[in-house]
Amino acid sequence: MSSARVRTLATLRKALVGLETMGGPDAGRVALGHAEVDAMLRGGLARAAIHEVFAEGRFSSTATGFVAGLAQRVADHRTILWIRQDFAAREAGDLAMTGFAELGLDPRRIVVVFAKNAEMVLRIAADGVACRGVGVVIAEIWGETKAFDLVASRKLTLASSDSGVICLMLRLGASPRASTAETRWIVSSAPSPPVAEWEAWGEPVFDVQLVRNRHGATGRWIMKWACDECIFRESFSKQPTAHSQPLVTAPVDRPDQALAYARRQVG
Amino acid sequence: MRDGKSADQRPLVVVSKEKNAVVIVAVDDAAARANLEPGLPLANARMICPELNVVDEDKAADAQALNAVADWCDRFTPLVALDPPHGLFLDITGCARLFGDEKSLLTNLCHALGRQGFVVNAAVASTPVCARTMTRAVSGAIVLQGEEKAAVSPLPLFALGASEETIRGLRRAGLKTIGDVAIREPHEITARFGAGLTALLQQALGQSDAPISPRKPLPDYVVEKRFPEPVATDAVIASTIDLLAHMLIASMEKSGKGARRLEASFFRTDGAVSSIMVEAGQPVTQTHTVARLFREKLDALADPLDPGFGFDMIRLSASHVELVIQEQRDLDTHAQDDDEIAALIDRITARIGKHRVLVYLPQDTHIPERAAIAVPAQHRLAAAHESAWMECTRGEPPLRPLRMFGMPEPIKIIAPFPHGPPAGFQWKGRFHRLVHIEGPERIVMEWWNEEEILPQSSSRDDAFNRLHPPHGEPQDAIDHKKLTRDYFRAEDRTGLRFWLYREGVYGREVRQFCWFLHGLFA
């Protein structure tokens, strides 16, 4: 009797797992590169699902960088459809393709759509997600909106699980609400690790908080985006220690010192 | 002219102001019976007939009305040309047979326009000028080829449409009808009145022809459906578009063509015509694509298609037709992806317009805000895929921001010593203390591309200006577009990374620095 019950339980569990992981033909996952995060996500960011990235308004470009990194990981050299609300474009500035190129994204594969309002963003996102040729759909919405409710997110999730196209919601200046997203992240900027004066600084570093994960635990990490390898990495950031600030006078109306010296040598 | 069907039975005149006199430009039948005619000053007209209904001329409304009638006339032929102020040319070559013959087309047209409240004079002839000349004298005339001379000769001179002065000159010479002029030697007429009149005369007599200039380019393929009973419901309209798309695609397929631009015209029973145009990045060869594009467009219309009392005809026309090469697709998924992307872009474009769906092309410049231009994805997708972006240096952190402000935002900085790099700045009500700063990276504007600045016109000569330079700022109006910029990368305590610049070179271009925030790094 008890063995029968155990068997029933096992079959039920199996059925549940089957239901839970219903996600497209092949619920593939894309590793982000950060070992801890990948372990927490059971191997990486799930395809055929929607993921939300939240950030305060002032961290708009940090969140943009994080989303761009995720998109680069999952797009696999296919088209990135970036749908922007007009207001977001006005508030947070234009996307600069030279900057994307430096992060390792291919500007040739980015198609940007400007939509009037959040409703239109979601409609076009639904169209984009339904199209199998698209690598990733990014929907950028500014501020709180009633348009992205449970019904809307469910629609996107279904479309995404049908086609296998991943959808990233970039929500700036908004707070999380109920949705059917697979994961939810809150991003803010993190200081560059302390460097000596002659060393380069300024690689994208993110303070990332995973606040929702449908298939695992949550956590908080400092990650950096390695532009050359196009992968997320651990960043060992401390609170900024007291290191000296560069306070060298910038040449204002005269040639660079080294250059002037060289010229003297020649002349 | 609109038929005055109002209760007002007084003679109607339309007036406008010419050379400081209010002059009649058009009269109705009642006014004509009272011996009023165009060109008469209004004051004189009031003496003749004190009871007058006077209306001011509205040229814009006239032109609009003429355009509306021209739209409606599209149902007879795709080649309709305007002949302002109140004429239309229709090239009915090959079209008359669709309506029976020329006679029935003419009566059909006059009858339908008459029902809309217009008074029409129409004629059919082998040259446009001959037809126009006929309409000025009689209505409903059909002049067969070779009979132009006989038809036109007895008509008075004004029917020719020459200028007032020319006609007065001809009258003075004793020539009253067109026939009188036609029997003269052409060189006599040319010597006295210029070649223009001779050419006009020859065209009126059918001896030479001049082409009309149609309002719209001739579509490559046209299919249409007429309804005995007007239709108004969305379902019928959608199924009609499906049917027409099927016919259109079938006829294009025979010659292996696909259309880049499709236009659906809806002819309402009361004469109003509305047109909807969709474009595609790649030639359309599938019926369902056509139907889907139109569905997107119809859904997105700001003012929905108003059927009024219903449409009596729907037409679908294709232009920008291209030869489609049926490519054998291999198993390369990228090619298929590209097709799907192009179709997706077409659908989104049909809904929100082509200037909202963009791709970026790199530009050969080092000015940051001009480094990439946005172009409609529908037309330039292939170009964007081929474009070459600058290679980035490996091992360097990003040197260009991810987000850039269209208008650099002015900021207030504090610096430990004058003209030094900032230690912190105020932006959007928040103070950012900087931990890292790197720069300057100097970017000089492209003086070789700017147009030459013209010296400001001055009442005194240049020598005086050079001797007595104006006090104060070296330059009164600083042209911000020409100033050198020194860019700095900066990071504050929270890890926000900024791209700042100061404008101008101290002493040479400016006396005081202005600082701006141009963009944000990730």
Side-chain angles (χ1 to χ4, degrees):
Chain A
M1 189 66 189
S2 81
S3 70
R5 188 178 281 172
V6 167
R7 226 178 299 141
T8 324
L9 263 177
T11 44
L12 276 174
R13 283 218 179 99
K14 218 180 251 172
L16 266 179
V17 168
L19 278 177
E20 275 186 341
T21 53
M22 65 158 203
D26 166 25
R29 286 172 182 271
V30 187
L32 299 183
H34 191 284
E36 266 185 63
V37 176
D38 283 342
M40 204 69 95
L41 293 173
R42 293 185 180 181
L45 205 64
R47 283 185 192 278
I50 63 174
H51 303 269
E52 289 178 311
V53 176
F54 284 84
E56 266 182 63
R58 66 197 170 109
F59 296 125
S60 60
S61 98
T62 314
T64 307
F66 182 66
V67 166
L70 295 182
Q72 155 68 23
R73 293 297 304 155
V74 298
D76 191 23
H77 300 292
R78 283 181 297 166
T79 300
I80 298 172
L81 187 68
W82 196 303
I83 307 155
R84 320 190 61 198
Q85 195 185 349
D86 280 355
F87 186 74
R90 225 171 306 148
E91 192 71 13
D94 296 327
L95 301 178
M97 289 301 142
T98 41
F100 279 99
E102 281 188 288
L103 287 192
L105 268 79
D106 189 356
R108 291 176 291 187
R109 289 281 161 189
I110 301 179
V111 177
V112 180
V113 180
F114 287 89
K116 257 201 189 98
N117 46 31
E119 286 82 5
M120 194 46 99
V121 172
L122 291 169
R123 257 187 83 172
I124 296 168
D127 271 11
V129 166
C131 177
R132 280 167 204 276
V134 178
V136 54
V137 175
I138 301 169
E140 180 180 343
I141 300 176
W142 184 278
E144 305 290 348
T145 175
K146 282 183 183 160
F148 190 62
D149 53 5
L150 262 177
V151 178
S153 77
R154 181 92 190 124
K155 266 186 200 162
L156 273 183
T157 306
L158 284 176
S160 173
S161 59
D162 273 352
S163 65
V165 176
I166 200 163
C167 178
L168 304 174
M169 305 289 304
L170 176 56
R171 303 291 311 276
L172 302 172
S175 51
R177 290 175 59 179
S179 77
T180 56
E182 175 78 22
T183 60
R184 183 180 294 147
W185 309 76
I186 296 179
V187 182
S188 59
S189 64
S192 304
V195 289
E197 258 181 50
W198 57 86
E199 282 175 331
W201 57 272
E203 281 207 305
V205 187
F206 314 102
D207 179 353
V208 176
Q209 217 180 326
L210 178 61
V211 292
R212 178 197 161 103
N213 179 10
R214 286 188 63 184
H215 297 106
T218 58
R220 182 172 184 168
W221 305 272
I222 305 283
M223 287 182 178
K224 73 170 185 186
W225 172 254
C227 302
D228 296 336
E229 303 154 84
C230 293
I231 204 162
F232 285 100
R233 290 255 179 254
E234 295 80 0
S235 172
F236 305 101
S237 175
K238 291 170 262 174
Q239 278 303 304
T241 48
H243 57 280
S244 60
Q245 290 188 17
L247 289 177
V248 182
T249 327
V252 171
D253 190 22
R254 59 198 157 81
D256 188 40
Q257 278 290 325
L259 204 69
Y261 182 70
R263 210 172 284 155
R264 263 206 303 279
Q265 289 279 3
V266 170
Chain B
M1 188 204 290
R2 282 268 177 198
D3 221 352
K5 288 242 173 69
S6 58
D8 204 340
Q9 292 298 319
R10 294 177 298 168
L12 176 78
V13 294
V14 180
V15 297
S16 85
K17 202 166 181 179
E18 276 174 25
K19 292 179 191 164
N20 276 336
V22 182
V23 177
I24 294 177
V25 289
V27 295
D28 74 344
D29 286 345
R33 276 197 294 278
N35 277 336
L36 305 182
E37 57 182 12
L40 197 69
L42 180 63
N44 299 12
R46 283 203 197 277
M47 290 297 290
I48 298 167
C49 177
E51 292 282 309
L52 267 186
N53 185 7
V54 183
V55 178
D56 278 328
E57 190 187 21
D58 184 350
K59 283 198 171 136
D62 281 353
Q64 213 178 349
L66 190 65
N67 264 312
V69 176
D71 274 340
W72 178 85
C73 284
D74 274 349
R75 65 178 61 211
F76 297 106
T77 164
L79 293 172
V80 178
L82 297 178
D83 179 29
H86 34 63
L88 289 176
F89 289 130
L90 275 64
D91 186 345
I92 55 163
T93 314
C95 300
R97 165 183 292 231
L98 301 174
F99 300 85
D101 56 358
E102 285 164 357
K103 181 92 192 156
S104 62
L105 189 148
L106 201 63
T107 46
N108 191 342
L109 187 146
C110 293
H111 188 64
L113 274 179
R115 253 190 324 192
Q116 289 180 36
F118 291 101
V119 178
V120 194
N121 283 338
V124 178
S126 54
T127 69
V129 176
C130 179
R132 183 177 68 188
T133 310
M134 293 308 294
T135 60
R136 302 255 163 99
V138 285
S139 183
I142 293 176
V143 182
L144 298 179
Q145 191 140 25
E147 293 176 6
E148 290 93 354
K149 193 164 185 177
V152 169
S153 289
L155 301 184
L157 272 176
F158 76 89
L160 205 52
S163 71
E164 195 90 353
E165 266 173 59
T166 313
I167 289 174
R168 206 177 303 136
L170 286 166
R171 279 235 186 91
R172 246 181 234 152
L175 307 172
K176 297 229 161 50
T177 64
I178 295 174
D180 290 345
V181 186
I183 53 169
R184 296 271 154 191
E185 287 295 324
H187 64 83
E188 291 174 31
I189 307 288
T190 312
R192 174 71 180 77
F193 299 100
L197 182 67
T198 320
L200 199 66
L201 196 65
Q202 280 180 346
Q203 285 167 26
L205 296 171
Q207 289 159 358
S208 71
D209 198 359
I212 62 172
S213 55
R215 297 187 317 140
K216 297 176 190 167
L218 190 63
D220 297 307
Y221 292 88
V222 181
V223 289
E224 61 191 34
K225 182 157 176 60
R226 286 158 202 267
F227 303 97
E229 283 286 315
V231 297
T233 56
D234 288 346
V236 180
I237 291 170
S239 68
T240 308
I241 287 181
D242 279 355
L243 176 78
L244 290 176
H246 197 74
M247 288 158 61
L248 190 71
I249 294 292
S251 62
M252 284 198 295
E253 209 171 29
K254 278 180 202 153
S255 40
K257 300 272 178 76
R260 289 276 301 277
R261 186 179 289 174
L262 294 157
E263 190 175 343
S265 308
F266 301 87
F267 292 76
R268 234 161 67 173
T269 38
D270 59 356
V273 180
S274 42
S275 294
I276 291 170
M277 197 177 67
V278 292
E279 282 184 289
Q282 290 181 325
V284 175
T285 51
Q286 302 282 328
T287 310
H288 64 88
T289 321
V290 179
R292 193 158 177 190
L293 284 176
F294 275 110
R295 199 158 58 232
E296 294 281 357
K297 190 82 181 180
L298 284 172
D299 282 350
L301 281 186
D303 49 339
L305 207 57
D306 176 18
F309 296 108
F311 301 115
D312 58 0
M313 181 171 128
I314 296 177
R315 162 188 292 175
L316 199 61
S317 53
S319 48
H320 288 236
V321 166
E322 283 176 10
L323 203 61
V324 181
I325 300 154
Q326 294 292 341
E327 282 178 40
Q328 168 113 30
R329 291 283 188 221
D330 50 12
L331 296 173
D332 180 13
T333 45
H334 268 301
Q336 282 182 5
D337 282 357
D338 284 350
D339 287 353
E340 279 188 35
I341 298 286
L344 176 70
I345 288 172
D346 284 343
R347 285 204 299 278
I348 300 175
T349 302
R351 191 185 303 152
I352 62 175
K354 67 179 174 189
H355 295 294
R356 285 179 161 275
V357 188
L358 306 170
V359 286
Y360 290 84
L361 296 179
Q363 297 296 299
D364 186 17
T365 173
H366 56 264
I367 298 176
E369 62 265 33
R370 297 190 205 151
I373 53 163
V375 289
Q378 192 171 42
H379 305 310
R380 308 294 295 275
L381 192 64
H385 284 174
E386 313 275 277
S387 62
W389 289 81
M390 215 185 293
E391 288 292 320
C392 311
T393 351
R394 288 183 69 86
E396 286 268 328
L399 299 176
R400 289 286 178 270
L402 207 52
R403 281 182 182 260
M404 228 184 307
F405 297 109
M407 291 286 286
E409 307 211 344
I411 48 171
K412 287 239 179 304
I413 63 144
I414 56 159
F417 48 91
H419 312 317
F425 67 92
Q426 185 91 19
W427 177 55
K428 279 194 176 172
R430 201 181 274 271
F431 184 75
H432 300 274
R433 178 168 292 282
L434 299 178
V435 184
H436 293 287
I437 187 151
E438 187 185 270
E441 178 191 351
R442 177 161 290 185
I443 293 180
V444 183
M445 295 298 113
E446 294 172 339
W447 46 266
W448 58 92
N449 272 347
E450 308 290 340
E451 63 271 32
E452 216 168 298
I453 322 157
L454 295 171
Q456 298 234 319
S457 61
S458 168
S459 54
R460 291 169 182 166
D461 59 345
D462 282 354
F464 180 90
N465 283 336
R466 242 175 280 142
L467 282 173
H468 303 92
H471 294 288
E473 289 291 312
Q475 225 177 322
D476 285 333
I478 298 171
D479 190 354
H480 289 273
K481 285 185 182 152
K482 290 194 167 52
L483 293 183
T484 307
R485 300 176 189 166
D486 284 335
Y487 278 93
F488 292 84
R489 281 196 308 135
E491 181 179 319
D492 78 352
R493 280 179 166 188
T494 54
L496 280 171
R497 283 167 276 273
F498 305 97
W499 208 36
L500 315 170
Y501 73 90
R502 71 168 173 231
E503 206 173 59
V505 177
Y506 180 73
R508 197 165 71 202
E509 289 178 351
V510 290
R511 285 281 166 85
Q512 201 167 10
F513 283 131
C514 293
W515 285 82
F516 294 91
L517 176 63
H518 202 172
L520 299 167
F521 292 93

